[in-house]
Amino acid sequence: MRPEILFPLFKSITSLPGIGPRMEKRVEDLAGPHVADLCWHLPAGVVDRRYQPKIGEAKEGEIATITVNIGSHIAPPSGNKRLPYRVWVNDDSGDMALVFFHARPDYLHRMLPEGETRIISGKIEMFQDAPQMSHPDHILTEAELDNLPLVEPVYPLTQGVTQKVLQKAIRGALKQLPDLPEWQDPAWLEKQGWDTFNQALARTHAPEDLADLDPNSPARCRLAFDELLANQLALALVRLRMKKQPGRKIIGTGTLRKKIEAEIPFSLTHAQNMALAEIDGDLKAPWRMLRLLQGDVGSGKTIVALLAMASAVEAGTQAAMMAPTEILARQHLETLSPLCEAAGISLALLTGREKGKTREALLSSLAAGEIDILVGTHALFQDDVAFKNLSLAIVDEQHRFGVHQRLQLSGKGGAGTDVLVMTATPIPRTLTLTAYGDMDVSRITEKPPGRLPIDTRILPIERLSDMVEGLKRALASGARAYWVCPLVEESELVQATAAEDRYAFLKAIFGDTVGIVHGRMKAAEKDAVMQKFIAGDISVLVATTVIEVGVNVPEATIMVIEHAERFGLAQLHQLRGRVGRGSGKSSCMLLYQGPLSETAQARLKIMRDTEDGFIIAEEDLRLRGAGELLGTRQSGLPTFHFADLVSHANLLAVAHDDARLIIERDPELQSDRGQALRTMLYLFERDEAIRFIRSG
Ligand code: ADP
Ligand code: MG
């Protein structure tokens, strides 16, 4: 239960001044539904009104705050709406006009009564060599001067919400901040020179200059650290809970592994062996495995997974492997089939397409333990899927799933199922910590030997016809090519249409050797086309990003990506990874539509310069920020309000160590600091993690 002290922060934003039913939706879309969300809505700029010149010395373009006497009002000749209403003001250095369009004279007479003194603040303009000010931002009496914020935060806005409305609401939200207990270690705070949480938050909303907006300002660092600690502590609690459940000691005999190793025409790389040794260590240990296996596309994770599953089977138990798409699940089945057959392991497939009698039969042999390894899609999650004795669950290509699904799948085996998550998207270290901090990490950093580098070229779309000529020659000598159509974020339909158009264009040139797959086709249709491409019956595969993940056709050596400037680095890297998998020399054509933004240019250049997924991932984070990196929404990656994983990478490392230390000393968060930390977890809405303390 959320502590009472936080209740005011989790009230609806409609409790704040100026937010009625009409504003609610807009502000909610902008910041969030709760008072707290407005506290987290940070200024993106400042307006500095501290410049207080005389009229005669006021500089053009500056925001100025000036004390003036009000002179005469000059209304435009009646009927001429395009001319402004002017109010002349003066001080002992000169005079200037205040300019109002579409003025309401009675209102202006009230605000600016002739002969009185007022303080005005706004931008100085020059008109026919004389200063003037159009629509001052503020008009105040001298008595009201204290109300004028001399430095004003400027917040990111949305349609229909003005700066004034938002400022007022946020001021109201900040007033709701309760007197929070200190959850950080006092010695650490002192060493960093940080204020309390409330002071830091107040400072962030009352910036005095641009330096205060810097993520590295002390106030922002304090808040970022709190947020990162909440994230790391939550993951540490999940981890503690998972580790506490006794795992099973899976000790393989090595017999099946030997048979598999005899079948594969290569030996494992050093990196593969290292990863396998780490996995074996976890399998044998009495605790439960929670491990992330990171390895670039083509680094050979599948064989590592199979050898791990073989151990589970040797120990008389079952293993499951889940892929995010049907194509991938089928492909795993095909890769694994001959090896399993040779070793005498029984292997089956379960996707959404297995139905009726087939499915029933499959489920009953699964429950009877006649199936050793089950490969599938998220259909494996369905309630009636019951294993006899599942000891190892492997999740492939997992950046689309979050902590929830990890817990869900491991639940299938009852207590103690070992979980191995494999991801082909190399994730920067910082992001690995925030998203997978509950797991141990193995990295395959080396590719199998003999891979040829991929020749990557960047071409403007205007060179399309040259490229098609080149493709003609390559196809004539037996090459196979992917042709990826532009990413259209908004609509799968538009994306499919773009692909259809390109398909028609290429078919007119290359005839029946062209095929197409996109997200709007039925799974069976897609598979049929993929099969043709694998068999070589078609040699150009036009595709949307459905082929992004995992597809393996070693004979394909050409990758064309249209509108490459629309794709993120991680995605370009994934797509390019579809080629360069066989013995043939591969190339990748990045077709772009100019003009290129600076970021797009930087992205394409990185693609040309390196194939190392880990370097690409770090660059991607630097260029785009963590939020966008993998598409946060679908990826289950956490979002941060204060923390910036590029600027605060060092703080994250500290928070990570701190969290583990806290859990070691006070696993139930019972001490005074522990209690305060609970409040912090609730404040940052990590409620779920707290449940693990009690039920653990
Ligand atoms: P990914 O890590 O992308 O899942 P895969 O497991 O699909 O990579 O492996 C890519 C290709 O490399 C496969 O054809 C696989 O048989 C091959 N491979 C894996 N390990 C090795 C190795 N040690 N030596 C040579 N080829 C290997
Ligand atoms: Mg794979």
Side-chain angles (χ1 to χ4, degrees):
M1 278 283 284
R2 180 183 291 148
E4 235 169 275
I5 186 175
L6 295 181
F7 285 3
L9 290 177
F10 288 91
K11 283 199 291 199
S12 158
I13 47 174
T14 50
S15 64
L16 294 170
I19 303 194
R22 206 166 47 90
M23 272 299 154
E24 180 186 4
K25 177 86 177 65
R26 295 175 189 165
V27 176
E28 182 176 332
D29 286 349
L30 181 66
H34 299 133
V35 170
D37 296 315
L38 279 181
C39 295
W40 313 155
H41 192 71
L42 301 186
V46 286
V47 178
D48 187 342
R49 301 189 185 281
R50 285 174 297 190
Y51 175 53
Q52 299 181 23
K54 294 276 186 197
I55 291 176
E57 64 197 30
K59 287 203 240 21
E60 181 177 11
E62 298 286 316
I63 303 278
T65 302
I66 313 180
T67 305
V68 297
N69 305 307
I70 312 296
S72 50
H73 286 227
I74 315 283
S78 66
N80 195 339
K81 287 233 161 63
R82 278 181 316 171
L83 287 180
Y85 187 102
R86 288 172 201 274
V87 180
W88 285 94
V89 299
N90 58 71
D91 62 12
D92 53 19
S93 72
D95 59 6
M96 73 173 182
L98 305 183
V99 177
F100 300 88
F101 291 88
H102 305 290
R104 298 205 322 266
D106 50 336
Y107 170 76
L108 288 176
H109 276 289
R110 241 185 303 125
M111 292 300 288
L112 297 161
E114 221 172 303
E116 295 200 12
T117 301
R118 288 292 182 271
I119 292 145
I120 54 164
S121 185
K123 191 186 240 162
I124 301 293
E125 300 157 3
M126 282 295 173
F127 182 67
Q128 293 170 351
D129 283 340
Q132 67 172 30
M133 189 184 287
S134 308
H135 298 265
D137 303 328
H138 296 276
I139 300 172
L140 307 161
T141 63
E142 283 173 296
E144 289 167 332
L145 182 59
D146 285 348
N147 295 342
L148 179 70
L150 281 177
V151 183
E152 257 179 66
V154 177
Y155 292 103
L157 295 178
T158 184
Q159 183 102 50
V161 180
T162 63
Q163 212 46 254
K164 282 206 170 135
V165 166
L166 203 58
Q167 284 175 0
K168 191 164 154 193
I170 290 175
R171 272 199 301 274
L174 292 172
K175 284 203 187 102
Q176 298 294 318
L177 267 182
D179 196 8
L180 294 164
E182 182 55 71
W183 45 72
Q184 297 295 0
D185 176 33
W188 162 249
L189 286 181
E190 192 169 341
K191 180 158 167 258
Q192 297 298 113
W194 287 344
D195 290 335
T196 65
F197 178 83
N198 282 10
Q199 285 165 338
L201 192 62
R203 179 64 187 256
T204 305
H205 283 283
E208 299 210 331
D209 48 39
L210 286 174
D212 283 339
L213 300 177
D214 191 313
N216 290 312
S217 72
R220 271 290 293 281
C221 283
R222 152 90 220 220
L223 300 172
F225 188 71
D226 289 332
E227 191 171 36
L228 291 168
L229 185 64
N231 162 268
Q232 290 299 302
L233 196 55
L235 288 166
L237 286 168
V238 172
R239 181 186 161 84
L240 180 74
R241 151 77 184 258
M242 298 287 274
K243 290 260 165 183
K244 244 198 218 163
Q245 294 173 10
R248 288 192 268 174
K249 295 192 210 173
I250 303 295
I251 302 177
T253 55
T255 50
L256 295 176
R257 270 198 189 176
K258 253 196 218 99
K259 288 185 190 163
I260 293 168
E261 276 166 349
E263 274 307 296
I264 52 177
F266 50 77
S267 49
L268 297 191
T269 62
H270 175 68
Q272 284 171 315
N273 277 319
M274 293 283 290
L276 195 58
E278 286 168 339
I279 293 166
D280 281 344
D282 283 348
L283 289 175
K284 283 189 192 132
W287 61 75
R288 168 177 221 183
M289 171 162 73
L290 262 182
R291 185 169 288 279
L292 177 69
L293 177 61
Q294 281 188 313
D296 213 338
V297 217
S299 61
K301 294 183 294 298
T302 317
I303 189 70
V304 172
L306 176 61
L307 293 172
M309 291 193 289
S311 284
V313 178
E314 284 165 7
T317 63
Q318 292 166 299
M321 183 154 158
M322 187 175 76
T325 66
E326 180 146 354
I327 292 184
L328 263 178
R330 279 181 195 282
Q331 198 172 282
H332 278 319
L333 185 82
E334 266 151 44
T335 316
L336 302 183
S337 275
L339 299 175
C340 286
E341 208 165 295
I345 296 172
S346 91
L347 175 72
L349 176 75
L350 179 66
T351 70
R353 271 168 66 198
E354 277 69 43
K355 293 206 175 79
K357 286 244 159 58
T358 323
R359 186 167 185 277
E360 267 167 45
L362 196 143
L363 291 185
S364 74
S365 9
L366 187 68
E370 291 153 16
I371 293 170
D372 299 319
I373 297 179
L374 183 64
V375 173
T377 55
H378 53 261
L380 298 185
F381 283 147
Q382 285 157 344
D383 285 337
D384 58 345
V385 178
F387 291 80
K388 178 166 186 239
N389 193 356
L390 177 68
S391 71
L392 171 61
I394 299 185
V395 184
D396 190 17
E397 309 283 359
Q398 133 94 23
H399 60 262
R400 278 135 216 265
F401 308 115
V403 175
H404 289 291
Q405 280 99 340
R406 297 208 284 275
L407 294 172
Q408 218 179 338
L409 184 67
S410 62
K412 280 279 171 210
T417 304
D418 286 320
V419 177
L420 179 69
V421 172
M422 305 199 292
T423 169
T425 308
I427 301 171
R429 279 181 196 282
T430 49
L431 216 55
T432 307
L433 270 188
T434 59
Y436 300 100
D438 55 331
M439 312 187 88
D440 298 301
V441 178
S442 298
R443 286 182 150 202
I444 304 185
T445 48
E446 152 195 33
K447 286 202 179 167
R451 294 280 162 83
L452 295 167
I454 300 170
D455 179 20
T456 300
R457 301 196 180 179
I458 306 172
L459 297 170
I461 188 76
E462 289 76 20
R463 303 260 315 267
L464 182 71
S465 54
D466 294 350
M467 221 209 58
V468 168
E469 284 308 310
L471 189 57
K472 242 183 226 168
R473 287 191 295 274
L475 294 181
S477 62
R480 254 175 266 174
Y482 294 101
W483 189 298
V484 177
C485 288
L487 179 73
V488 184
E489 297 268 334
E490 302 76 35
S491 148
E492 216 175 300
L493 176 65
V494 181
Q495 190 164 333
T497 312
E500 294 279 5
D501 288 350
R502 186 51 79 204
Y503 171 63
F505 170 85
L506 291 170
K507 214 171 154 72
I509 300 168
F510 298 113
D512 286 341
T513 61
V514 187
I516 179 168
V517 285
H518 59 67
R520 290 175 68 86
M521 287 162 59
K522 292 214 175 68
E525 291 175 274
K526 272 192 280 195
D527 285 357
V529 178
M530 281 311 298
Q531 286 309 331
K532 279 192 189 166
F533 188 61
I534 290 167
D537 297 338
I538 55 178
S539 44
V540 180
L541 183 67
V542 176
T544 56
T545 46
V546 291
I547 61 149
E548 179 188 344
V549 181
V551 171
N552 189 22
V553 184
E555 295 82 4
T557 54
I558 300 171
M559 168 63 66
V560 179
I561 304 175
E562 261 192 73
H563 277 292
E565 78 281 359
R566 291 192 197 165
F567 292 86
L569 263 178
Q571 221 170 0
L572 289 173
H573 177 65
Q574 283 282 323
L575 288 168
R576 181 173 59 185
R578 299 305 112 214
V579 298
R581 304 192 134 217
S583 50
K585 176 107 180 89
S586 294
S587 57
C588 173
M589 308 287 167
L590 302 173
L591 287 178
Y592 68 89
Q593 170 94 62
L596 286 178
S597 72
E598 229 168 90
T599 318
Q601 215 164 350
R603 278 205 293 265
L604 296 182
K605 187 171 170 309
I606 291 160
M607 284 299 293
R608 196 185 52 203
D609 292 349
T610 182
E611 276 183 61
D612 184 325
F614 287 101
I615 294 178
I616 290 175
E618 298 289 347
E619 288 296 314
D620 200 14
L621 179 63
R622 205 175 51 75
L623 286 174
R624 296 212 289 170
E628 275 181 80
L629 189 56
L630 300 169
T632 308
R633 285 263 152 71
Q634 347 127 25
S635 67
L637 289 175
T639 47
F640 294 106
H641 307 288
F642 305 114
D644 167 338
L645 294 183
V646 178
S647 306
H648 300 135
N650 52 344
L651 291 181
L652 174 62
V654 179
H656 178 72
D657 294 344
D658 218 13
R660 295 224 169 166
L661 205 66
I662 290 166
I663 294 293
E664 224 173 271
R665 290 188 186 152
D666 183 15
E668 305 276 311
L669 300 183
Q670 295 292 355
S671 66
D672 283 351
R673 183 176 180 208
Q675 297 289 345
L677 285 164
R678 285 177 186 228
T679 304
M680 178 192 75
L681 287 169
Y682 280 111
L683 181 65
F684 288 106
E685 299 187 67
R686 311 281 179 200
D687 304 25
E688 199 174 44
I690 299 182
R691 280 208 331 263
F692 290 128
I693 304 176
R694 295 205 170 276
S695 50

